[in-house]
Amino acid sequence: MDSNLTRRQARSFFLDSWRKFRQHRSLTPLEEVAVDWINEHPEFHQDLEKNQTIQEKDYSPEDGKINPFLHLSMHLSISEQVAMDNPPGIKSIYYELIRRTGSEHHAAHNIMDCLAEMIWTAQKQKSPLDFKKYSKSIQGLLKKEQSETSNAITH
């Protein structure tokens, strides 16, 4: 997905992909990945079917509701990162997390936490994205997952 898309274009991509899927129309490979992630999130389906009203909706943390477009964009970004193995090592870490957790969705959400932290920090500090720190954070997931598993076994 092009990183220079406007908010409207990015949202239209997800809305159009979902509409095409529901109409049993053919999808591009990227639309297929987007629809796979949409299907993993049934809590977004009703909103995505509102099409026009959701297109301009602003989401704020105070609303207590997840922005489905941001969430799905992060899933799509992680899928592309894994496919390209960029940052280096993300592919093997992702598949190891799947092996350990038994869930692609859970593995993606672990990585998403690292991605969200990088974006949040850059916005807060008004600085560029720190991909080195992001890469280290992803690498730390295996140690974190291992530590949590060890603690669960001993307690």
Side-chain angles (χ1 to χ4, degrees), residues 97-121:
L97 287 169
I98 292 171
R99 188 189 69 73
R100 291 181 185 187
T101 65
S103 166
E104 288 183 41
H105 199 198
H106 186 72
H109 274 250
N110 279 307
I111 294 172
M112 189 181 293
D113 289 343
C114 299
L115 181 59
E117 178 69 24
M118 176 184 65
I119 294 168
W120 182 83
T121 300

Side-chain angles (χ1 to χ4, degrees), residues 7 11 47 50-60 63 65-69:
R7 179 173 105 159
R11 288 181 173 198
D47 283 344
K50 292 178 184 172
N51 220 333
Q52 289 308 101
T53 55
I54 196 172
Q55 181 69 266
E56 298 302 324
K57 182 172 172 47
D58 286 321
Y59 293 87
S60 70
D63 294 338
K65 192 168 182 187
I66 294 172
N67 178 336
F69 300 109

Side-chain angles (χ1 to χ4, degrees), residues 83-135:
M84 297 182 300
D85 196 28
N86 188 17
I90 191 172
K91 181 183 268 188
S92 62
I93 292 167
Y94 177 70
Y95 286 108
E96 179 60 19
L97 287 169
I98 292 171
R99 188 189 69 73
R100 291 181 185 187
T101 65
S103 166
E104 288 183 41
H105 199 198
H106 186 72
H109 274 250
N110 279 307
I111 294 172
M112 189 181 293
D113 289 343
C114 299
L115 181 59
E117 178 69 24
M118 176 184 65
I119 294 168
W120 182 83
T121 300
Q123 287 177 335
K124 182 180 172 193
Q125 297 175 350
K126 295 181 176 33
S127 63
L129 297 172
D130 187 342
F131 289 100
K132 285 183 181 179
K133 190 171 184 179
Y134 174 54
S135 185

Side-chain angles (χ1 to χ4, degrees), residues 3 6 19 24 34-35 57 63 65 81 84 90 99 110 121-122 142-143 153:
S3 61
T6 65
R19 181 181 37 77
H24 305 287
V35 166
K57 182 172 172 47
D63 294 338
K65 192 168 182 187
Q81 290 172 14
M84 297 182 300
I90 191 172
R99 188 189 69 73
N110 279 307
T121 300
L142 295 180
K143 294 175 189 155
I153 293 170

